[in-house]
Amino acid sequence: MTEPKTHTLEVPGCVLHYDVREAEGTTEPILLLMGSPMGAAGFAALARHFQDRTVVTYDPRGSDRSTRTDGTTESTPDLHADDLHRLIDALGGGPVDIFASSGGAVNGLALVARHPEQVRTLVAHEPPAAQVLPDRERALAAVADIRRTYDREGFGPAMVKFIAVVGHQGEIPADFADQPMRSPAEFGLPAEDDGARGDVMFEQNLMTCTHFEPDFEALRAAPTRIVVGVGVESEGQLARRAGEAVAERLGTKPVIFPSNHGGFLDDTFGTPGDPDNFAVTLRQVLAE
């Protein structure tokens, strides 16, 4: 595998940046590793485990290097899916294999529903599709409260509520928004509002991602092999429960991956996952 080479792609309203790690002589499809709002840097540790394949990582619109030019403040899964469709076209049209994490998994499901011919296998790891949960009204109300907190108080207080929601075990209670929250300082987060808005997660993707309901009829009819992955340490948490609900709607069972929601991460991003064993499981899933 060569060192990553950065490319740009102009799409409506954005200039996408993506990195290609070329593997010479391989007959395997391109492997696209992606998240949302996490960009390409979050997948460097996982990419190193696939030296025998050409690996592509990218920054979704509004994240890191992929600068928006349309002046809008929200990105929908369908908009991300169109970006991915254009990216795969730029890579030769596919079909590609995709490992997609978190919001990226939601975007991957949107892509396959619209352009199944471009994807051979989609591994959708813990898509936070709260819309498909049995407690969806309470879960979505908690998400909306996070967004209101961000609009009203800024990043730190919103992140405290976000951590509480994503880490909660079991169904979200009806009074979740009214429960006392810990201080941002306890998490090393800013307690004071600096007035900045436009955060790629809280403003651009939080509401649209969690409120998106995949087109299950189109997904079940697609020739794409869809595998839902969940973390062994994520049991009871919103993203794992949503992943399990997506798998049920697809008529499949989720594959258990090592570690947690960010199990593919090394220690570059704070709390490390288990990228070595995570990659072993991903390789097995892709080979089946």
Side-chain angles (χ1 to χ4, degrees):
M1 177 185 283
T2 62
E3 290 297 309
K5 294 182 180 179
T6 299
H7 304 263
T8 60
L9 175 67
E10 290 192 22
V11 297
C14 186
V15 179
L16 297 177
H17 284 64
Y18 64 98
D19 303 315
V20 179
R21 296 166 171 84
E22 191 80 32
E24 296 182 2
T26 183
T27 59
E28 293 290 335
I30 288 171
L31 175 58
L32 174 58
L33 307 177
M34 67 184 200
S36 180
M38 179 174 283
F43 297 91
L46 188 57
R48 288 194 289 270
H49 289 276
F50 290 89
Q51 305 255 343
D52 56 329
R53 299 184 63 155
T54 294
V55 175
V56 175
T57 55
Y58 95 118
D59 295 336
R61 68 167 54 217
S63 295
D64 299 335
R65 303 164 296 174
S66 290
T67 306
R68 300 188 67 147
T69 59
D70 56 6
T72 59
T73 58
E74 281 195 330
S75 299
T76 66
D78 283 331
L79 185 56
H80 286 298
D82 186 66
D83 290 345
L84 289 164
H85 164 61
R86 295 169 187 270
L87 173 59
I88 294 170
D89 270 351
L91 295 170
V96 301
D97 286 344
I98 297 177
F99 169 76
S101 172
S102 193
V106 174
N107 299 340
L109 292 168
L111 169 68
V112 170
R114 298 173 66 174
H115 301 285
E117 75 285 351
Q118 289 191 312
V119 186
R120 185 180 74 162
T121 297
L122 168 66
V123 182
H125 183 254
E126 297 204 351
Q131 189 69 253
V132 303
L133 291 171
D135 55 324
R136 57 184 170 274
E137 291 184 5
R138 284 168 281 154
L140 293 172
V143 170
D145 179 63
I146 295 171
R147 175 58 189 268
R148 286 193 299 271
T149 301
Y150 174 71
D151 290 339
R152 185 177 60 246
E153 302 177 44
F155 180 84
M159 181 57 77
V160 170
K161 289 193 172 183
F162 176 82
I163 292 169
V165 170
V166 299
H168 180 77
Q169 296 285 326
E171 293 192 357
I172 304 296
D175 64 344
F176 199 87
D178 299 323
Q179 295 181 6
M181 291 289 124
R182 295 164 64 183
S183 166
E186 294 182 54
F187 298 90
L189 296 167
E192 299 297 324
D193 183 4
D194 64 2
R197 297 296 184 268
D199 182 78
V200 66
M201 180 170 69
F202 290 131
E203 186 159 358
Q204 294 189 39
N205 291 288
L206 179 68
M207 295 292 288
T208 55
C209 174
T210 54
H211 285 63
F212 180 80
E213 183 166 0
D215 185 343
F216 288 105
E217 184 177 352
L219 292 172
R220 287 190 293 267
T224 303
R225 176 171 168 255
I226 303 172
V227 179
V228 177
V230 296
V232 67
E233 298 174 13
S234 305
E235 189 168 359
Q237 296 177 358
L238 187 149
R240 172 162 170 169
R241 293 194 300 116
E244 291 167 340
V246 168
E248 183 178 5
R249 294 282 294 273
L250 292 173
T252 64
K253 292 189 178 298
V255 173
I256 305 298
F257 276 74
S259 195
N260 50 38
H261 188 65
F264 52 90
L265 296 170
D266 60 15
D267 58 4
T268 304
F269 295 89
T271 304
D274 185 5
D276 295 348
N277 288 310
F278 196 99
V280 170
T281 300
L282 178 57
R283 186 177 287 277
Q284 291 171 344
V285 169
L286 291 173
E288 290 176 359

